[in-house]
């Protein structure tokens, strides 16, 4: 009975370790952090609504908020793809990607572009934040912080590491809000990297796994496959280069 009371008190933000008044679980910063983990589907589970009204509100909030958040993040990723495509076009001007100063090495260009995006996401949203978290959270080492970044930005959300969970954490509300924005932007750029990755036909697992369906003798499947539009900028680039080479052949022939 006594242990049950302690657990209930701890769930409501009352410290069971120190005899002092602490910030409750549902402070403004904590509430923003909770809302962010719900909308991004990370869901650490360290804080949850206990009342019936709170649980009902959380259900309707998630039903409405999660689709809107996913649409917003997808729209932002589409805008960011415009920037990465400009980077791809900029890389095309470099002479190192041309063979004999005439033929472009599309494979080297494509993988260089992918590597640059990967390094940017890795450094800005994993390595640097891990160093910041390990310096703020005294009980975390660098591997713990890097592990937290990976578990969070992949939306696994195990909840074994939570930033700003100590009651004596200075500027705890600001820290929680800043972490929420980090999670949103981090997930956005992870999705950007995945989008750039799937634009490469050789690395598009969905396309590779659908080869069996494409070779099927079912006329309806063949019709769906033939009508499906391609969204790969790399594929469009290859088609444009082929059409240009064909036009050049016709012009030299005549």
């Amino acid at each position: 009975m006594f242990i049950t009371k302690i657990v209930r008190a701890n769930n409501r933000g009352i410290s069971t370790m120190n005899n002092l008044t602490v910030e409750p679980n549902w402070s403004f910063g904590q509430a923003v952090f909770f809302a962010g983990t719900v909308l991004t589907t990370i869901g650490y589970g360290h804080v949850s609504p206990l009342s019936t009204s709170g649980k009902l509100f959380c259900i309707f909030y998630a039903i409405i908020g999660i689709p809107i958040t996913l649409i917003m993040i997808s729209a932002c990723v589409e805008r960011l793809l415009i920037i990465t495509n400009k980077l791809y076009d900029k890389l095309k001007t470099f002479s190192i990607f041309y063979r004999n100063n005439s033929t472009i090495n599309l494979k080297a260009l494509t993988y260089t572009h992918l590597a640059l995006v990967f390094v940017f996401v890795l450094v800005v949203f994993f390595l640097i934040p891990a160093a910041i978290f390990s310096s703020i959270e005294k009980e975390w080492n660098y591997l713990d912080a890097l592990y937290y970044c990976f578990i969070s930005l992949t939306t696994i959300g195990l909840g074994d590491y939570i930033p700003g969970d100590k009651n004596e954490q200075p500027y705890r509300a600001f820290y929680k809000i800043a972490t929420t924005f980090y999670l949103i932007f981090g997930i956005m750029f992870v999705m950007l990297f995945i989008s750039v990755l799937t634009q490469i036909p050789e690395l598009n697992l969905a396309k590779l796994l659908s080869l069996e369906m494409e070779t099927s003798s079912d006329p309806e499947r063949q019709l769906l496959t033939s009508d499906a539009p391609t969204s790969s900028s790399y594929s469009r680039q290859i088609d444009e280069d082929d059409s240009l080479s064909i036009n050049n052949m016709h012009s030299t022939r005549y």
Side-chain angles (χ1 to χ4, degrees):
M1 190 67 178
F2 178 71
I3 296 177
T4 304
K5 292 181 178 179
I6 292 177
V7 173
R8 289 178 180 175
N10 187 67
N11 289 338
R12 286 166 172 80
I14 301 175
S15 175
T16 58
M17 301 297 295
N18 300 311
N19 185 19
L20 47 81
T21 302
V22 297
E23 186 182 58
N25 280 347
W26 290 106
S27 63
F28 179 75
Q30 186 71 286
V32 171
F33 185 72
F34 170 78
T37 57
V38 170
L39 294 180
T40 55
T41 68
I42 297 176
Y44 293 120
H46 68 300
V47 174
S48 58
L50 300 177
S51 64
T52 302
S53 59
K55 293 176 181 177
L56 291 175
F57 174 78
C58 185
I59 292 174
F60 288 106
Y61 177 72
I63 291 175
I64 298 174
I66 290 177
I68 294 177
T69 302
L70 294 179
I71 292 172
M72 181 197 70
I73 292 178
S74 299
C76 292
V77 169
E78 290 182 0
R79 301 300 186 276
L80 291 172
L81 279 173
I82 298 175
I83 300 176
T84 59
N85 289 336
K86 289 182 179 180
L87 173 63
Y88 181 81
D89 294 335
K90 183 67 176 179
L91 290 174
K92 286 170 58 179
T93 62
F94 293 171
S95 58
I96 59 174
F97 297 110
Y98 288 85
R99 303 183 185 126
N100 301 324
N101 296 325
S102 60
T103 306
I104 188 170
N105 189 347
L106 285 177
K107 180 172 288 188
L109 175 62
T110 299
Y111 285 104
T112 301
H113 177 243
L114 177 65
L116 289 176
V117 176
F118 171 75
V119 170
F120 175 81
V121 174
L122 177 66
V123 172
V124 176
F125 292 98
F126 287 90
L127 300 183
I128 294 178
I132 296 174
F133 282 125
S134 62
S135 63
I136 296 177
E137 302 289 339
K138 302 304 180 182
E139 297 182 357
W140 296 10
N141 57 34
Y142 186 79
L143 179 60
D144 294 334
L146 185 62
Y147 166 81
Y148 165 76
C149 294
F150 176 80
I151 292 298
S152 298
L153 297 188
T154 53
T155 68
I156 298 174
L158 295 178
D160 46 352
Y161 289 93
I162 306 295
D165 225 24
K166 297 296 182 182
N167 296 318
E168 62 274 10
Q169 179 72 49
Y171 306 105
R172 190 182 182 192
F174 174 78
Y175 184 31
K176 287 285 188 179
I177 295 173
T179 303
T180 303
F181 280 100
Y182 158 73
L183 294 175
I184 294 174
F185 282 99
I187 292 174
M188 185 185 305
F189 275 85
V190 169
M191 289 181 62
L192 172 67
F193 170 72
I194 295 175
S195 297
V196 174
L197 179 69
T198 55
Q199 283 184 346
I200 304 176
E202 295 85 355
L203 301 179
N204 191 338
L205 295 180
K207 185 175 181 180
L208 293 176
L209 294 175
S210 64
L211 288 177
E212 182 178 354
M213 185 182 71
E214 292 178 1
T215 56
S216 173
S217 60
D218 189 347
E220 293 184 359
R221 287 186 175 182
Q222 292 180 354
L223 181 61
L224 290 174
T225 304
S226 62
D227 293 340
T230 58
S231 59
S232 170
S233 61
Y234 301 122
S235 299
R236 289 197 300 268
Q237 180 64 40
I238 294 174
D239 294 338
E240 291 174 0
D241 292 340
D242 292 340
S243 62
L244 288 175
S245 60
I246 293 174
N247 291 334
N248 291 333
M249 290 175 61
H250 284 298
S251 61
T252 54
R253 181 177 298 178
Y254 293 105

